[in-house]
mmCIF file of all heavy atoms in Angstrom:
data_model
loop_
_atom_site.group_PDB
_atom_site.id
_atom_site.type_symbol
_atom_site.label_atom_id
_atom_site.label_comp_id
_atom_site.label_asym_id
_atom_site.label_seq_id
_atom_site.Cartn_x
_atom_site.Cartn_y
_atom_site.Cartn_z
ATOM 1 N N GLY C 177 33.125 31.510 11.508
ATOM 2 C CA GLY C 177 33.263 30.548 12.592
ATOM 3 C C GLY C 177 32.168 30.668 13.628
ATOM 4 O O GLY C 177 31.085 31.188 13.362
ATOM 5 N N LEU C 198 46.153 53.013 8.723
ATOM 6 C CA LEU C 198 47.074 52.729 7.617
ATOM 7 C C LEU C 198 47.399 53.966 6.785
ATOM 8 O O LEU C 198 48.434 54.017 6.129
ATOM 9 C CB LEU C 198 46.481 51.668 6.689
ATOM 10 C CG LEU C 198 46.974 50.233 6.852
ATOM 11 C CD1 LEU C 198 46.325 49.345 5.807
ATOM 12 C CD2 LEU C 198 48.478 50.141 6.750
ATOM 13 N N ALA C 228 37.173 48.696 5.795
ATOM 14 C CA ALA C 228 36.843 48.805 7.218
ATOM 15 C C ALA C 228 35.367 49.147 7.398
ATOM 16 O O ALA C 228 34.678 48.563 8.252
ATOM 17 C CB ALA C 228 37.717 49.869 7.875
ATOM 18 N N GLN C 380 72.590 34.623 -2.130
ATOM 19 C CA GLN C 380 73.322 35.618 -1.376
ATOM 20 C C GLN C 380 74.500 35.003 -0.651
ATOM 21 O O GLN C 380 75.422 35.666 -0.289
ATOM 22 C CB GLN C 380 72.401 36.291 -0.368
ATOM 23 C CG GLN C 380 71.323 37.141 -0.993
ATOM 24 C CD GLN C 380 70.398 37.742 0.038
ATOM 25 O OE1 GLN C 380 70.745 37.846 1.210
ATOM 26 N NE2 GLN C 380 69.214 38.121 -0.364
#
Side-chain angles (χ1 to χ4, degrees):
L198 260 183
Q380 293 178 20

